[in-house]
Amino acid sequence: MSSEEVDDEGGVWFVLEKASLEVAKVGKNYQLLNCDDHANFLRKHKRDPATVRPDIVHQALLAILDSPLNKAGKLKGLYVLTDSKVLIQVNPHIRIPRTFKRFCGLMVQLLQKLSIRASNGPEKLLRVVKQPVTKHLPVGARYVGLSYSAPKVIKLHDYVAAMGLKQKMVFVVGAMAHGKIEADYIEDLIAVSEYPLSAACCIGRICNALEQQYKIL
Ligand SMILES: C[S@@+](CC[C@H](N)C(=O)[O-])C[C@H]1O[C@@H](n2cnc3c(N)ncnc32)[C@H](O)[C@@H]1O
């Protein structure tokens, strides 16, 4: 931590909802389904390829894990809930593959073995855990859902500042192409822009507001 950063008891958790992470046997191999490589396969199985977008969760994870917020140790937990209700716990110390192809390979491995260990020790970097996600989230945190169609558009910097440094915060962001998050534990549903954003852009806004709040440069 640099001398400029603020020490406190708060911290941030993210939940990425409705992520499209699905493994299927295509030809001889198990693969992570995606709209570009498996359009014919998906249509053959009466699925709309436009909804099969694991690239959204890949970009969202990179946006969270690469953030100065995470580097400063403020990211306390990260969960991905797939649209088939598999809950994945992501260790904030993981280095997610930067290329989509390698990301797909890692997800296939995870969904088959149910956990991925660090190569240099016993630490689990990715783990399928039991639902509900609330069991893994801190008591007394502020649970905030993000949606373009929320009744209020707020200035995120003011919103975060009003909560104070000691407040634990959980942000729930959709990792799907269409539809809305459906987390019944959310206390506040907010829009952070007048425009529909990508999940990664929305996360960038959240991280930026929190970095200012915690004085992380
Ligand atoms: C690609 S969008 C999903 C598209 C979906 N039609 C929607 O607008 O919610 C991914 C996620 O980014 C977040 N998001 C997008 N635009 C937003 C906005 N203006 N305010 C708050 N969250 C937003 C929501 O959590 C959304 O589920």
Side-chain angles (χ1 to χ4, degrees), residues 23-192:
V23 174
K25 196 168 184 192
V26 186
K28 284 188 185 156
N29 299 319
Y30 285 95
Q31 296 180 22
L32 193 76
L33 294 178
N34 72 79
C35 60
D36 293 322
D37 298 327
H38 307 114
N40 291 337
F41 177 92
L42 289 163
R43 281 194 209 100
K44 215 158 71 187
H45 288 82
K46 310 250 178 303
R47 302 270 305 275
D48 176 6
T51 61
V52 186
R53 295 281 311 278
D55 55 301
I56 297 177
V57 69
H58 181 222
Q59 288 176 11
L61 286 171
L62 288 175
I64 296 169
L65 294 164
D66 282 351
S67 67
L69 184 78
N70 183 30
K71 292 180 181 178
K74 296 295 181 213
L75 178 69
K76 304 295 183 191
L78 171 53
Y79 293 86
V80 175
L81 184 61
T82 73
D83 48 17
S84 48
K85 305 289 177 213
V86 176
L87 181 62
I88 300 164
Q89 185 177 55
V90 182
N91 186 323
H93 298 136
I94 192 174
R95 224 185 142 271
I96 283 283
R98 310 201 72 77
T99 69
F100 182 61
K101 199 169 172 185
R102 280 189 286 137
F103 172 74
C104 290
L106 183 69
M107 289 301 117
V108 171
Q109 232 185 316
L110 169 68
L111 293 168
Q112 289 182 332
K113 292 186 182 171
L114 306 184
S115 70
I116 302 282
R117 235 180 247 280
S119 56
N120 55 354
E123 196 183 19
K124 292 260 170 72
L125 296 179
L126 291 166
R127 191 152 79 99
V128 172
V129 292
K130 280 206 179 120
Q131 283 216 72
V133 69
T134 44
K135 212 176 78 181
H136 305 275
L137 296 173
V139 176
R142 188 86 193 150
Y143 291 86
V144 185
L146 280 286
S147 174
Y148 169 58
S149 55
K152 49 186 170 183
V153 184
I154 53 99
K155 286 186 183 156
L156 204 47
H157 289 84
D158 298 346
Y159 181 81
V160 163
M163 280 201 252
L165 290 169
K166 293 193 171 171
Q167 177 65 62
K168 294 178 170 64
M169 299 173 218
V170 178
F171 291 94
V172 184
V173 179
M176 66 300 203
H178 306 287
K180 231 178 110 177
I181 52 170
E182 281 165 24
D184 56 6
Y185 54 88
I186 286 168
E187 296 165 303
D188 217 1
L189 189 68
I190 59 168
V192 295

